[in-house]
Structure formats: structure tokens, C-alpha cells
Amino acid sequence: MSVDFKDYYAILGVPREASAADIKKAFRKLAREHHPDVAKDKVGAESRFKEINEAHEVLSDPEKRQKYDSLGARWQEADAGMPPPGWGGNAGAAQGRRYEWSGDDQGTEFHFGGTGFSDFFEQYFSGGTSYGHPGGGGKGFDPHESAGTRARRGSDVEGDILVTLEEAMHGTTRPISLQMRNARTGAVETHSFQVRIPPGATDGRRIRVPGQGEPGRNGGAAGDLYLRVRHAAHPDFSTQAADVYHDLALAPWEAVLGAEVLVKTLDGSIKMRIPPGTENGKQLRVRGRGLPKGKTGERGDFFVVVEVELPTELTPEEKEQWEKLRLVSRFHPRGSAPT
Amino acid sequence: MNESHPPLPLIEPDLDARYSLEVVAEITGIATHTILHYQEEGLLPTGPSAARQEEILFDDATLCALRRIDHLARQYEMSTPALKLLCGLLEEVESLRAALRSRS
């Protein structure tokens, strides 16, 4: 089995030397175009949106980007018979991830499907780990536990799951498949199930799926599966816990004189009053319009972050107005009158 | 997914689930006195504190942390100070990553 290399730069349409700002800009533009909410071809848009998100996830994180760049350089070589590290086994399924315990010849292999990430991402960039009581043989492991027929609980398995903000808002159901090959018995078992992602699944939150981790040994209980929520980047919103942030572009006169603007939230638009003298970067809070917080019905807040944009192309009339303003204005941001 | 197959079993995790000490011991396979030791050492995510031991409630994040700590302690024979150091670092890395993500 092999995994196709993903050209994340091509997906975002940026050169390899693109700056972080270029990547963000390219992502936003594409994400807006392909966001399932706005695109006409819903199914096609969704897979494209996930792909764009995945590229952004890797290229916007300096550490992951560096890893990706060095991986790209080695890819040909790896393809020609030198499998990248961690490559092993022959579980044979079409999608997912696998990993094995290092230093453990009795390890269990895991293979994920349905997380919303590509095989390539799963293999190299998903921060997933597996921990618990690995199946014997590890360094420093209690010999009494690894020997014989004593019942032992299976390891916990952890993996990332990509959740769009709309899904985090309303909840969703995801089919997940977890394929495990027990290296000791050679048997491959696939566990397929659906997991309800409840509304309010915040970024980084681990959703515990009881009993879906590694099977126990000698009659021990199975480990648990932890799905770590990764919010898909959204062109218009970002999140911090249950709070949602939205950058609002304003014209200089709107910020200075105040304005009433229509602002898009995750559930409908709201009319907002921008008070006169609103400074760039100011956060205006709308209570209770963020993500749900548990079952209480309580919700996080919605923050509008003011981004004053300046006109760059001026007509002669506009230029005249700005020049007039310069003459009459008492505003001196550097503290003294301009010379 | 093949549509002719019976529907997959649906698991509905409860994000607000809270467990008593005994239940946590049962789920994780870690002895209650060990769990209390980790808690006293400040290794577990702080939850609502209770005056009486029987009233302490743990959430999923604590379960996850417990299993990780237990794994480190067993697999690498880590002492409590080493666990504190490593768990603190892991926590910091995670929060820095989260900050980095939310900035982009």
C-alpha cells in the first residue's frame, strides 16, 4: 500500500517560498470559494474544502511546514524503495493511518478512516498517539504484566478528527473505521461505527469513545478511542474555546464616525452598531452568539475584531478630500505636529 | 460505506460525563490511591474540588490524562517529579499549538 503525496503548495496555488501572509490570503480566498455553505456543488465542494483546509493546517504551522518541505525532498527517494519511517505492515485498507508501538514486537497496528483528513496527512501530520499499557516488551515494562496469561486492558488510541465550525455548532454524526492488526495473531479486525459529535465540540477537545481502542489481552477490557477535535479553518471565523472571532473590515470613516453594519455569524446575520471612534483591532463582543457550551443551552460569545482598511486607489476627488482633511485635522499620531 | 449493509452502531459520547473515583478506577484500571496521589501532586487537570473523597468527580479530559500518566509511569518508570515535568511540558506545547492555530 502506498499513500499519494499531496502537493499542498499546488492545492493552495502558492509558490514554495510563499510567506505566511500569502498562505493565509490564498487559503481564505479558496476557502470562501469552496466553502460547502456557499458552493453549488455541495459534495465536490466539501472534499475540496477539506483538502484546502488540510493544506492550510500543514503550511500555516511552521513546524509542520518544515517537516512537509523536508518530506517533499525525500519523497522520490522514498518512493523508489526506501519507505519513509513508520511505514510498515500490510493492513491493506484504502484509507487511514497506521502506527505501531516502537520497541514492541507484539504491537497492534491501527488504521483510521473517516476522520476527514487524507491518508497522507494521517500518516505524517496527525498528532495522534496511542498510549495505555502497550502489549508487553517495551523497555522498562513490568515483567509481571507482560508475561503469562494475566488479563490486561488494551491501549487507548488517539486520533484527530476534522470538524467544520458548522458541525461544531450543530453537531454531526461521523462514520469512523478503525482497523487493527494484532501483530501477535496476525488477525485484522475492522471496527466500524458512527460517532455522534455533539454540538459544542471545541478545538482540541477529546471525545472519548469507550471501548473502541485496542482490544484487551487475556480477557482484559478494551482501551478507549479518543477523537481530538480539530476545527477546520473557516474563511470568516476562528474559534477560541466556545468563543467565535470574526474580522470585520471597516472603512476609516466608518471607524471614526461610527456605523451600522450587517455582520455574518455562524447562525444568521446580526446588525451591529460600530460606535464612533472605534480603534483598529478593537474587539466588540456579542454575548451568547458563539458555540454551544455543553447541554446547558449556554453559548460562548461572538467577537467582532475591527480591521480598518485603507483605500489604496484614489480618484482625484477622493484625493482632494483626504488632502483637505490633512490640512484641517488636529490628529497627530506621533505626538507632534507634522513638519 | 456500502448502503446495503445494516446501519453502523451509533455511539453517542457525552461530553459532560462526570465519573466518581471508583468508576474512574474501574475504567482506567488504575488503583484509587494512585489516582488520588496523582491528583494531590497536581498532575490531573483541575476539576471542581470536593471536600469529601466520595464526592470528587472526574471528566473525560482527566481520564485521558490519567491513562497517559499511568503509561509513562509504567512504560518508562517515571518518577512523580519527572511526570510533573513532562506533563507540564506537554500541556504547554498543546496550549502554544492552540494559540498558534487560533492566530492563523
Side-chain angles (χ1 to χ4, degrees):
Chain A
M1 178 188 138
S2 70
V3 166
D4 291 334
F5 185 79
K6 289 256 175 192
D7 190 342
Y8 290 141
Y9 290 103
I11 289 169
L12 290 186
V14 292
R16 297 184 72 83
E17 60 278 5
S19 69
D22 291 343
I23 288 168
K24 184 173 168 179
K25 218 164 128 188
F27 163 75
R28 282 193 168 180
K29 185 173 170 285
L30 286 170
R32 228 171 241 128
E33 226 169 276
H34 296 279
H35 195 276
D37 275 3
V38 295
K40 284 185 193 84
D41 168 19
K42 298 277 178 212
V43 181
E46 196 180 318
S47 61
R48 182 87 174 99
F49 182 70
K50 282 183 174 160
E51 191 179 50
I52 293 163
N53 233 286
E54 188 178 300
H56 174 259
E57 176 87 27
V58 172
L59 296 186
S60 68
D61 180 331
E63 204 184 314
K64 284 184 184 154
R65 185 177 177 185
Q66 198 183 11
K67 187 177 171 189
Y68 176 76
D69 288 345
S70 64
L71 193 66
R74 286 191 288 113
W75 194 258
Q76 290 296 351
E77 178 192 341
D79 220 20
M82 283 179 62
W87 216 253
N90 181 26
Q95 59 171 161
R97 154 192 353 169
R98 74 186 56 177
Y99 39 81
E100 278 180 273
W101 289 106
S102 55
D104 174 9
D105 57 0
Q106 296 188 330
T108 303
E109 257 181 32
F110 298 98
H111 195 77
F112 260 120
T115 57
F117 292 107
S118 73
D119 307 353
F120 177 75
F121 183 91
E122 289 285 1
Q123 184 72 44
Y124 294 104
F125 299 103
S126 177
T129 47
S130 166
Y131 46 81
H133 306 172
K139 285 192 190 74
F141 196 72
D142 181 355
H144 303 296
E145 297 247 346
S146 58
T149 55
R150 188 168 162 175
R152 198 174 51 243
R153 188 183 189 275
S155 310
D156 289 351
V157 179
E158 188 177 299
D160 288 354
I161 186 164
L162 188 70
V163 175
T164 66
L165 294 190
E166 287 75 10
E167 289 173 330
M169 184 78 182
H170 304 291
T172 184
T173 302
R174 277 293 183 75
I176 300 285
S177 67
L178 186 57
Q179 194 175 59
M180 289 174 262
R181 182 170 70 90
N182 190 319
R184 198 175 46 163
T185 64
V188 177
E189 289 173 34
T190 305
H191 292 254
S192 296
F193 44 90
Q194 299 181 77
V195 177
R196 168 108 182 115
I197 310 291
T202 48
D203 191 82
R205 179 90 200 230
R206 287 179 179 84
I207 296 174
R208 178 171 162 264
V209 188
Q212 295 294 345
E214 186 198 32
R217 304 263 166 101
N218 303 319
D224 297 333
L225 168 66
Y226 286 93
L227 294 172
R228 189 165 55 166
V229 173
R230 286 283 168 241
H231 280 172
H234 192 286
D236 298 317
F237 308 113
S238 62
T239 58
Q240 255 175 48
D243 295 332
V244 176
Y245 289 78
H246 171 64
D247 290 342
L248 180 70
L250 288 180
W253 45 90
E254 287 177 319
V256 172
L257 305 174
E260 213 168 69
V261 289
L262 211 56
V263 178
K264 208 167 84 169
T265 74
L266 276 170
D267 57 340
S269 296
I270 49 173
K271 200 184 264 182
M272 272 195 86
R273 200 182 66 80
I274 307 298
T278 295
E279 291 208 53
N280 193 30
K282 187 169 172 68
Q283 298 189 350
L284 305 167
R285 176 159 71 171
V286 186
R287 279 181 200 277
R289 292 299 291 258
L291 294 174
K293 286 180 177 172
K295 286 179 292 198
T296 55
E298 206 189 329
R299 286 173 60 178
D301 297 330
F302 186 83
F303 287 91
V304 168
V305 184
V306 170
E307 225 173 55
V308 178
E309 290 196 9
L310 303 177
T312 48
E313 283 167 31
L314 300 178
T315 62
E317 291 88 344
E318 284 173 324
K319 200 171 172 204
E320 201 186 311
Q321 294 298 323
W322 283 101
E323 272 163 358
K324 270 189 205 160
L325 185 60
R326 175 167 62 183
L327 288 177
V328 299
S329 179
R330 291 178 299 118
F331 180 57
H332 304 302
R334 289 177 304 286
S336 56
T339 52
Chain B
M1 294 297 139
N2 192 331
E3 299 207 351
S4 66
H5 283 201
L8 296 172
L10 176 65
I11 300 169
E12 301 194 55
D14 180 2
L15 291 188
D16 299 325
R18 296 291 181 274
Y19 316 89
S20 71
L21 181 61
E22 283 68 32
V23 171
V24 171
E26 206 183 308
I27 293 175
T28 59
I30 304 169
T32 52
H33 65 88
T34 311
I35 298 173
L36 288 173
H37 166 72
Y38 290 147
Q39 198 195 30
E40 276 161 21
E41 292 291 339
L43 281 166
L44 303 180
T46 44
S49 60
R52 279 148 46 90
Q53 191 179 306
E54 307 86 85
E55 290 169 3
I56 306 175
L57 290 176
F58 298 87
D59 59 9
D60 280 345
T62 312
L63 283 189
C64 192
L66 258 175
R67 290 277 290 166
R68 179 158 71 186
I69 291 164
D70 191 53
H71 169 59
L72 293 170
R74 282 165 177 267
Q75 180 82 344
Y76 305 106
E77 294 180 337
M78 256 185 197
S79 64
T80 300
L83 285 171
K84 270 189 182 171
L85 181 68
L86 189 63
C87 291
L89 286 172
L90 287 171
E91 216 169 277
E92 191 170 354
V93 167
E94 199 152 311
S95 67
L96 289 172
R97 285 229 171 95
L100 191 68
R101 282 171 56 77
S102 68
R103 256 192 350 184
S104 60

